[in-house]
Amino acid sequence: MPGLVKEINADVAANSDHKMAAFTVVLTDDADKTEEQLKALAKDANIDKVPLTLVEGAAGPPAYKIAKDAEVTVLMWKGQKVKANFAFGKGKLDKEAIKKIVEDTSKILE
């Protein structure tokens, strides 16, 4: 996830004229530990455009409809409509997947 967050942070900075915004939500059963990890990630990776948030409960809010076997889910929307939805199983979020996600940000900048 750190690589993805760094790429999205850079993309948000590069598209400030489009008022692009992003945030992360980490679903966790250990909020204290996850909070410390997010603080370290923000500091170490210089994440300054993407808020790093958490929700207690690994399943997430029911309305999110998170795939049960997804380790990482990425949603992009414009207005109230989802324009891209990615779900990655454990260990599947690699450099190629991150590249595809970043390329698809064009769908929300149109």
Side-chain angles (χ1 to χ4, degrees), residues 1-15 20 22 50 74-76 84-86 88 93-109:
M1 182 182 84
L4 174 61
V5 176
K6 284 175 67 173
E7 291 287 335
I8 296 298
N9 191 74
D11 214 26
V12 169
N15 288 288
M20 182 180 177
V50 178
V74 177
L75 299 173
M76 291 185 225
N85 183 343
F86 300 90
F88 300 96
L93 182 63
D94 57 16
K95 288 182 181 181
E96 276 301 309
I98 291 171
K99 181 180 174 186
K100 174 69 174 138
I101 292 167
V102 172
E103 286 172 357
D104 270 10
T105 59
S106 64
K107 291 180 179 179
I108 61 170
L109 297 175

Side-chain angles (χ1 to χ4, degrees), residues 23-78:
F23 65 97
T24 64
V25 179
V26 176
L27 306 176
T28 182
D29 286 325
D30 189 345
D32 293 334
K33 180 179 176 184
T34 303
E35 182 178 10
E36 291 305 314
Q37 292 170 336
L38 292 176
K39 286 179 181 178
L41 171 61
K43 182 180 177 187
D44 296 344
N46 196 28
I47 306 300
D48 60 350
K49 304 291 182 204
V50 178
L52 305 174
T53 65
L54 63 89
V55 170
E56 200 158 358
Y64 282 22
K65 298 180 183 177
I66 302 296
K68 290 180 183 177
D69 56 348
E71 181 179 44
V72 175
T73 300
V74 177
L75 299 173
M76 291 185 225
W77 65 93
K78 185 170 184 174

